[in-house]
Amino acid sequence: MFKQFFEPESSTYTYLLGCEKTRQAVLIDPVASEVGTYIADLQANGYKLVYTMETHVHADHVTGADLLRQRLGSKSVVHRDAGAMCGDLLVTDGVHLIVGTLDIEVRHTPGHTNGCVSYVCADKVFTGDALLIDGCGRTDFQMGNPGQLYDSIQRQIFSLPDDTKVYPGHDYHGRLYSTVGHERLHNQRLGGGRSREDFITLMSELKLAYPKKIDVALPANQACGRLS
């Protein structure tokens, strides 16, 4: 079972994956304002939420991890370097989470933030803000590093089979997914064999506005979505 949710204010995608045999499910990057929608969908289809899985500590929205943990008993999954010690499972590169018949591999993909991960499940990779459709995450805050992001994408994402579907954390143009092969060839920032040096220069010259919600979202997400 697979479903893609969209939160319009931050253009965030949340992904629901479930095992039809055991009726266990996970949510990748849940948004606090959408928790009621997720719970209604889970209950309507008879699924039990086991994990909420963060691709990183977000700066543009508050995660629904804590609300879901309180209401459904799910466990929060974050990378150990994400700066969110509130997580129930602090994972590292190469860990496999088994949820019924689902095998979800954790791949550490730092560079946008130092605690970014991508999740690989069958023919899909959930890339958070590391790799976007025709783009990538910014590298100018939260310990971002353009050279590290380049290496992460090349080694951990572009090494996957070409037909692997890429499901990003955001899209601002209504696109639902891409493929590894397409992004390797055509991504405007990384595709077509762009060198590491050229990518670092490109990222250093971006003039990006300060994230609107970072002052609220960052401390909340370091507490798994618990607002003080």
Side-chain angles (χ1 to χ4, degrees), residues 5 31-43 64 67-68 71-72:
F5 298 92
V31 180
S33 62
E34 309 301 300
V35 162
T37 299
Y38 308 144
I39 292 176
D41 195 278
L42 288 160
Q43 291 177 343
L67 288 172
L68 289 162
R71 295 179 63 177
L72 300 181

Side-chain angles (χ1 to χ4, degrees), residues 112-130:
H112 171 60
T113 77
N114 60 329
C116 284
V117 299
S118 296
Y119 296 110
V120 178
C121 185
D123 64 345
K124 302 175 179 65
V125 57
F126 302 91
T127 55
D129 289 13

Side-chain angles (χ1 to χ4, degrees), residues 17-115:
L17 291 80
C19 168
E20 294 183 351
K21 182 177 180 180
T22 64
R23 314 305 286 183
Q24 293 178 311
V26 304
L27 279 166
I28 298 173
D29 288 341
V31 180
S33 62
E34 309 301 300
V35 162
T37 299
Y38 308 144
I39 292 176
D41 195 278
L42 288 160
Q43 291 177 343
N45 291 285
Y47 280 86
K48 175 180 173 58
L49 185 65
V50 179
Y51 296 126
T52 56
M53 304 173 63
E54 306 292 346
T55 56
H56 63 295
V57 171
H58 310 275
D60 53 10
H61 68 270
V62 175
T63 178
D66 189 61
L67 288 172
L68 289 162
R69 180 164 55 190
Q70 291 181 39
R71 295 179 63 177
L72 300 181
S74 52
K75 293 183 177 181
S76 173
V77 178
V78 295
H79 191 271
R80 66 179 180 182
D81 295 338
M85 300 308 288
C86 55
D88 298 296
L89 278 75
L90 302 179
V91 295
T92 59
D93 183 65
V95 167
H96 287 253
L97 299 174
I98 307 301
V99 180
T101 57
L102 303 179
D103 183 339
I104 304 170
E105 179 190 357
V106 178
R107 293 196 174 198
H108 191 204
T109 48
H112 171 60
T113 77
N114 60 329

Side-chain angles (χ1 to χ4, degrees), residues 67-215:
L67 288 172
L68 289 162
R69 180 164 55 190
Q70 291 181 39
R71 295 179 63 177
L72 300 181
S74 52
K75 293 183 177 181
S76 173
V77 178
V78 295
H79 191 271
R80 66 179 180 182
D81 295 338
M85 300 308 288
C86 55
D88 298 296
L89 278 75
L90 302 179
V91 295
T92 59
D93 183 65
V95 167
H96 287 253
L97 299 174
I98 307 301
V99 180
T101 57
L102 303 179
D103 183 339
I104 304 170
E105 179 190 357
V106 178
R107 293 196 174 198
H108 191 204
T109 48
H112 171 60
T113 77
N114 60 329
C116 284
V117 299
S118 296
Y119 296 110
V120 178
C121 185
D123 64 345
K124 302 175 179 65
V125 57
F126 302 91
T127 55
D129 289 13
L131 180 67
L132 304 175
I133 297 172
D134 201 26
C136 65
R138 61 195 293 175
T139 58
D140 58 336
F141 66 98
Q142 283 185 269
M143 300 182 73
N145 182 306
Q148 191 177 47
L149 181 59
Y150 183 91
D151 294 340
S152 293
I153 292 170
Q154 295 292 335
R155 296 171 183 170
Q156 299 280 52
I157 300 174
F158 284 177
S159 60
L160 293 165
D162 282 354
D163 59 353
T164 304
K165 294 181 176 65
V166 173
Y167 288 95
H170 305 275
D171 192 76
Y172 308 98
H173 305 287
R175 298 166 296 191
L176 300 179
Y177 70 93
S178 182
T179 66
V180 166
H182 180 85
E183 296 305 317
R184 188 190 294 112
L185 290 175
H186 302 296
N187 187 287
Q188 287 191 19
R189 292 184 178 175
L190 293 130
R194 182 184 293 273
S195 72
R196 190 177 192 271
E197 292 73 20
D198 285 349
F199 177 74
I200 292 172
T201 299
L202 183 155
M203 296 302 289
S204 68
E205 294 175 349
L206 296 178
K207 306 299 181 184
L208 300 172
Y210 189 70
K212 294 179 181 179
K213 288 193 170 185
I214 188 172
D215 294 328

